[in-house]
Amino acid sequence: MKNWPTVSLGEITSGGQYGLNAAAMSEGTGVRFVRITDITQAGELRHEEPAFVAEGTPELASYELTDGDVLIARSGATAGKSYVHRCFGERAVFAGYLIRFQPDVSKVLPGFIGAFLKTPDYWQQLNSRKRAVAQPNVNAKQLASLVLPLPPLEEQERIVKLLDEADELQKLRGQADRRTDALIPALFHEMFGQHIAAPPIVTSTAGLRTPRGWRWAQLTEVGRLATGHTPSRQHPEWWGGDIPWISLTDIRELDGTIAMATSEYVNEKGIANSSAVKLPKDTVCFSRTASVGFVTVMGREMATSQDFVNWVCGPELDPFFLMAALMQAREHLRSLASGSTHKTIYFPTVKEFATILPPIALQREFAARATEIRALRMEQSASQHRLVDLFKSLLNRAFNGEL
């Protein structure tokens, strides 16, 4: 490790300034208002659904952001989240639950501070300073006391350049992933969606037309509807077996994929002593409550909680076609949910679900092409994990003086 001096954040920055407490406007011609919720976990600024403050807000100029300003969240579950400001062509001020530090660029590069704020050392120091009252929080004095190594500016520049290049690779990989994610919906639309004037899953087929050789069919006509159950938690001996059990905890991550593993497992006793049932490989599993509309295909024999409806497809219906149809119709199906606390699609509604039914050969052609896309996505995911590991390694080595 190189013999770099260490300094506190307060020694190389000015400020420790708390943000502006003002009412945010969701639209208007005011000044852009940067809030904690506008900052991603990766330290990027979101530009979707921006907030604004009125031009005439008192002392507005004293909160205006300049290039290189470092913002750190001071309260709540996001305490410690950070962002280094880069001017984006419009005035911006920062909100009350953020603290601003302005780097002394004769001593430190803003990007070097930004990189430090991603290190395990930063988070360890921060967590040791957090105060828990109603919720965790840190103040400007505590943040200013954080200690970091300070290499010469030339070395800082080299480190920031290397980390920026690694970060850019992650972003490019992410862009490629998003393009791949769009391929299956685009393929479905090309093969099926453009031929029907409705979502591919509906509850009423009155007046809907189809190409020759296609038809609309109720899902209960072309598949067996099944549900799930939760074995009693008061019997731990019913849990921890070898039967994967899909719950709402799993479904967001499993959405659009083949489910092979779950966070919890049950055993034969759990199945025998509850209303849970084992469902065969290729069963389509659809979440109907709370996290409504997520869907997966079982890659092996599994069970589910009562939060799902499941279809065991018959010979006229391909499970991967059905999964894609449910995903394409997601917004429409979510509109069918009701309830004030947790939105739910109830069974009488589920039993009315009807699907467009192209010839099975066409469904299987779609399934085969979608499988190829999913395989590509898995390769990309592995690549993304390698890039994340590379960035973490570079970050650790950089602040240990090993680059």
Side-chain angles (χ1 to χ4, degrees):
M1 179 174 176
K2 296 179 182 177
N3 190 27
W4 292 335
T6 57
V7 294
S8 69
L9 184 63
E11 290 178 279
I12 53 175
T13 64
S14 60
Q17 178 190 8
Y18 294 85
L20 172 67
N21 290 311
M25 304 183 298
S26 59
E27 56 185 31
T29 57
V31 177
R32 177 71 185 273
F33 201 28
V34 176
R35 307 156 297 173
I36 291 177
T37 52
D38 297 318
I39 300 170
T40 70
Q41 284 301 125
E44 302 287 337
L45 185 65
R46 290 190 184 93
H47 292 284
E48 304 84 11
E49 300 180 359
F52 302 89
V53 290
E55 286 273 7
T57 302
E59 301 182 348
L60 193 66
S62 64
Y63 298 98
E64 189 164 340
L65 290 167
T66 58
D67 208 54
D69 284 356
V70 177
L71 300 179
I72 303 176
R74 66 181 177 91
S75 183
T78 57
K81 187 164 69 169
S82 62
Y83 162 62
V84 178
H85 185 63
R86 291 290 177 263
C87 291
F88 50 87
E90 60 181 288
R91 293 174 64 200
V93 296
F94 63 107
Y97 285 102
L98 292 165
I99 300 176
R100 171 167 66 179
F101 292 89
Q102 295 182 300
D104 180 347
V105 293
S106 69
K107 299 177 181 177
V108 66
L109 298 177
F112 185 78
I113 295 178
F116 169 71
L117 298 178
K118 296 177 181 177
T119 64
D121 180 35
Y122 162 70
W123 285 104
Q124 289 169 6
Q125 292 188 60
L126 185 83
N127 289 331
S128 72
R129 288 161 170 78
K130 280 182 184 176
R131 294 180 294 116
V133 188
Q135 56 184 349
N137 65 87
V138 288
N139 58 39
K141 184 177 179 180
Q142 291 169 323
L143 291 174
S145 71
L146 295 171
V147 175
L148 67 156
L150 189 69
L153 283 171
E154 295 81 4
E155 183 71 3
Q156 292 181 41
E157 187 173 359
R158 188 178 73 86
I159 288 170
V160 170
K161 184 174 185 294
L162 282 170
L163 292 174
D164 281 350
E165 288 173 353
D167 188 51
E168 186 61 27
L169 285 175
Q170 290 188 78
K171 290 177 182 176
L172 290 172
R173 175 77 279 159
Q175 291 171 11
D177 291 348
R178 286 188 290 275
R179 286 195 292 269
T180 303
D181 289 340
L183 289 177
I184 291 179
L187 175 64
F188 187 95
H189 179 74
E190 176 190 337
M191 294 183 67
F192 312 112
Q194 64 178 331
H195 302 296
I196 56 174
I201 305 287
V202 295
T203 53
S204 173
T205 61
L208 296 180
R209 297 181 179 181
T210 61
R212 180 174 295 180
W214 298 27
R215 67 187 180 96
W216 287 93
Q218 283 195 301
L219 283 179
T220 52
E221 176 191 346
V222 291
R224 175 169 63 86
L225 178 62
T227 185
H229 193 257
T230 304
S232 174
R233 299 286 186 180
Q234 295 180 359
H235 289 272
E237 69 274 16
W238 296 350
W239 293 85
D242 59 359
I243 304 168
W245 182 76
I246 301 177
S247 69
L248 291 178
T249 302
D250 305 301
I251 193 59
R252 287 177 182 266
E253 185 174 343
L254 294 176
D255 185 48
T257 70
I258 302 170
M260 297 301 298
T262 55
S263 57
E264 292 187 280
Y265 289 71
V266 297
N267 55 38
E268 294 290 351
K269 285 186 177 179
I271 297 292
N273 288 280
S274 72
S275 297
V277 293
K278 290 189 291 184
L279 294 164
K281 179 179 180 293
D282 289 341
T283 296
V284 179
C285 173
F286 177 83
S287 58
R288 66 179 187 91
T289 185
S291 298
V292 175
F294 296 100
V295 59
T296 186
V297 171
M298 295 180 183
R300 52 185 287 198
E301 188 176 65
M302 294 184 168
T304 79
S305 76
Q306 63 275 15
D307 300 303
F308 298 90
V309 285
N310 310 288
W311 290 275
V312 181
C313 297
E316 291 185 86
L317 182 61
D318 182 272
F320 297 100
F321 168 81
L322 177 56
M323 176 168 69
L326 289 164
M327 294 178 73
Q328 290 288 109
R330 180 173 286 162
E331 293 308 312
H332 170 65
L333 297 179
R334 283 176 173 167
S335 73
L336 304 176
S338 57
S340 55
T341 305
H342 291 297
K343 295 290 186 182
T344 299
I345 302 178
Y346 291 99
F347 274 94
T349 302
V350 170
K351 289 177 180 178
E352 294 176 0
F353 281 12
T355 182
I356 186 66
L357 201 66
I360 189 64
L362 196 58
Q363 295 180 47
R364 287 173 179 161
E365 179 187 340
F366 166 80
R369 294 169 67 180
T371 297
E372 292 175 357
I373 294 170
R374 274 191 291 272
L376 172 62
R377 186 64 180 85
M378 288 180 67
E379 291 175 9
Q380 290 179 329
S381 180
S383 172
Q384 178 71 355
H385 286 307
R386 289 193 294 270
L387 288 173
V388 169
D389 290 342
L390 171 64
F391 183 83
K392 289 179 179 177
S393 174
L394 287 173
L395 195 62
N396 183 60
R397 291 165 57 197
F399 283 87
N400 283 321
E402 297 170 359
L403 278 183

